[in-house]
Amino acid sequence: MRKLNLLMMGAALALGMSATAQTKWKLDKGHSSVRFSVNHMVVSEAEGTFKMWDGTVENSKDDFSDAKINFTVDVNSINTDNERRDGHLKSDDFFNVEKFPTMKFESTSMKPLGNNKYELKGNLTIRDVTKPVTFQVTHGGVIAGGRGRKAGFKATTTINRFDYNLKWDRATETGGLVVGKEVEVTVKVELDEVK
C-alpha cells in the first residue's frame, strides 16, 4: 500500500511538473509579418502582405521541438499596394473571401535540424482545400527582459496556388503564365510569453 501511495504521489508530481512546464506564446503583431511573392509576366515578381492575422504557440521543451502552432489569416486583409489587383485576389478567381474569409495553419511537427534551423510541418487550409505543407524555419532565439520573455522565428515555404483552387490562369504572349503557379510565403514572428 505504501509503495502504491508513493507511486501515485510521484505520478501526480510528474503531471504537475509537466503542466507547469507548458509555455504559451502570443504574437507581437507590431513586430511580425506575413508576406508572399509570385512571378508576374514571367520576368518579375509581385509581392503582397496580409495585414490581419493571429496565432499561438505552445511548447514544453526549451528547444521548441514539441511546439504546437496554430495560425490564422484574415484573407480580406490582403494588400499588394494596388486596389484593383487586391479586389481581383479577393474574388472567386483566387481567394473568394466572401465564402472563405480565413486561411489556417496547424502544425503537426517541429523537427530541429541544428544551428537554429527547423523543419515545420503542418496542414494549410486555403479556400476549402487542406494540404500538408513544410516550412523551413530559422529560430532567432529567446530573450528575457523587463517586458518578459520573447522568441523570434522566420518561416518560409513555397506552395502551388493551383493546389488550393486559386485558379485564375492566363498565358503571356510567350506562353508563360501572367501570374506564376508557385507562391513563396514568408512569415516572421516575434512571440511574447503569456503569463
Side-chain angles (χ1 to χ4, degrees):
M1 185 71 167
R2 187 175 176 194
K3 285 185 180 179
L4 181 60
N5 285 340
L6 286 173
L7 283 172
M8 289 178 68
M9 285 175 54
L13 182 59
L15 286 172
M17 287 174 64
S18 66
T20 57
Q22 189 72 20
T23 303
K24 295 183 179 181
W25 306 82
K26 65 179 181 178
L27 288 173
D28 178 343
K29 294 182 183 179
H31 298 98
S32 303
S33 63
V34 180
R35 308 187 73 79
F36 63 91
S37 62
V38 61
N39 283 343
H40 182 253
M41 299 296 288
V42 182
V43 297
S44 65
E45 289 186 15
E47 296 182 327
T49 63
F50 292 95
K51 298 296 186 183
M52 296 177 63
W53 29 264
D54 206 354
T56 59
V57 175
E58 294 185 15
N59 67 298
S60 57
K61 296 182 179 178
D62 288 340
D63 68 355
F64 286 86
S65 59
D66 65 341
K68 301 293 182 202
I69 301 161
N70 287 285
F71 204 85
T72 59
V73 174
D74 179 348
V75 184
N76 200 48
S77 71
I78 196 167
N79 184 343
T80 65
D81 290 325
N82 182 310
E83 192 173 321
R84 183 176 174 192
R85 179 169 55 207
D86 292 347
H88 189 201
L89 289 169
K90 294 175 186 181
S91 76
D92 191 43
D93 282 344
F94 290 95
F95 289 103
N96 191 348
V97 297
E98 287 188 17
K99 192 171 181 182
F100 308 108
T102 306
M103 283 191 295
K104 298 177 184 176
F105 173 80
E106 185 174 348
S107 68
T108 55
S109 68
M110 180 84 157
K111 179 182 176 184
L113 302 176
N115 296 319
N116 294 324
K117 305 290 185 186
Y118 292 80
E119 181 181 77
L120 171 63
K121 294 189 175 185
N123 294 311
L124 176 64
T125 302
I126 301 175
R127 291 180 60 115
D128 55 347
V129 178
T130 301
K131 288 190 169 291
V133 65
T134 301
F135 283 87
Q136 300 306 312
V137 178
T138 301
H139 178 31
V142 177
I143 62 167
R147 297 182 180 184
R149 291 201 315 154
K150 288 183 170 286
F153 293 90
K154 176 183 177 181
T156 60
T157 192
T158 300
I159 62 170
N160 183 333
R161 65 182 176 90
F162 291 148
D163 289 345
Y164 295 92
N165 291 332
L166 306 180
K167 58 194 175 187
W168 188 79
D169 184 10
R170 184 172 294 163
T172 65
E173 294 174 2
T174 59
L177 294 177
V178 171
V179 178
K181 293 189 299 183
E182 303 295 316
V183 181
E184 184 178 298
V185 180
T186 302
V187 180
K188 297 178 182 179
V189 295
E190 186 171 300
L191 302 171
D192 291 324
E193 184 178 4
V194 177
K195 300 204 174 179

